[in-house]
Amino acid sequence: RSFVLAGKGAPACLLRVGSCGMLKLLSARPAKLIAPTHDCVPTKSSVSKPHPLRGSSTRLVLRRSRPVSITASVDMAELTKVQPGVTRVGWVGTGVMGASMCGHLMSAGFSATVFNRTMSKAQPLCDKGAVAAKTPKEVAENSDVVFTIVGFPVDVRETILGENGVLAGLKPGGIIVDMTTSDPSLAREIAALAEQRGCKAVDAPVSGGDLGARNGTLSIMCGGDQAAVAALAPLFAPMGKVTHLGGAGAGQSCKMANQVTIATTMIGLVEGMLYAHKAGLDVEQYIAAISGGAAGSKSLDLYSGRILRGDMAPGFMVKHFVKDLGIAVSECQRMGLSLPGLGLAHALYNSLAPHGEDACGTQALVRALERLNNTTLPTTINK
């Protein structure tokens, strides 16, 4: 067996255990991945005098009575090779987005072990062949790659780093993919702790809403080790298009910028519709007139029809969007950045909760602006 001997202030040394408890020095080099282990301390009663170099190796003997920090070396080549029918997928979080995303992977030939706090939401996946687990840890114990998509950063922390979390059950060489929109700093913390256990963690929040999840057309924003992201390509492909932005946390930073863009775009969409209505225009005709021009956008395509129908069902819940905008506001404070549009959007979306609208979709922003102007957009029935 080979091990890395980690010494403070010294390079890591790759060692091999030979017969009679002898350790053979194979190389001295920085170690990319360090995973804790508690076995393998040779049983010699004393430390030998240094041997002269013999060829390219040196022999060392260690005392049993003086423990030495020895950790298992994991190379990137040992990470999971992703193949349908071979790679075991774990999925934690089977809500509006997660159920569709996990379903695409199962359709692509991957087996799945799933967990959701409300297990009835995972039942449709179980009906298709997924195996239900009792905890995220149990999911990880039966998986090579574990995806998480939960609600809030506190949920991410508990799901991945908790006593019964993913990292407690994942074997060395495994990969965690957190697709929740969460704190960039938490993504970096998870990646560092995963690496200590010989695993990798990728932050991969998505954009595209429930429609993108159902159609497999999500934009996937990845942060983390480039080789790990590349290895995940067969799993990402059924869900959407991947962009690798950089190291751990970069995916979450990209998602924050994405949410800032969406928030201010939604204000423009709703304000334009209200303006058209008050000006006496047919709002549906107004939308048709502008959709092919510079004012056209994904938000207009996804949400204008829902607003006109009075359909406030969530593709993405207001309370989760408020959480995202709160993270963005905090990141702006940290960076010394002033974004007035973000502040306005955050305040308007926050105003929906007292009216019981925080479980509605983000198109419910229209309700806040309707109340502000004491007016109501006409609804188009059955269109």
Side-chain angles (χ1 to χ4, degrees), residues 147 253 304 334:
F147 291 84
S253 292
S304 61
R334 182 183 65 81

Side-chain angles (χ1 to χ4, degrees), residues 131-166:
V131 176
K134 295 180 180 178
T135 64
K137 179 181 178 182
E138 186 179 334
V139 170
E141 287 171 343
N142 294 279
S143 304
D144 303 307
V145 179
V146 179
F147 291 84
T148 58
I149 182 164
V150 292
F152 296 85
V154 65
D155 301 316
V156 174
R157 180 176 292 279
E158 180 63 24
T159 297
I160 297 177
L161 302 180
E163 182 179 352
N164 288 306
V166 172

Side-chain angles (χ1 to χ4, degrees), residues 69-95:
S69 172
I70 299 180
T71 54
S73 176
V74 180
D75 190 84
M76 277 304 304
E78 296 178 38
L79 286 173
T80 300
K81 292 179 174 62
V82 176
Q83 296 177 356
V86 177
T87 301
R88 301 170 303 160
V89 170
W91 198 284
V92 179
T94 56

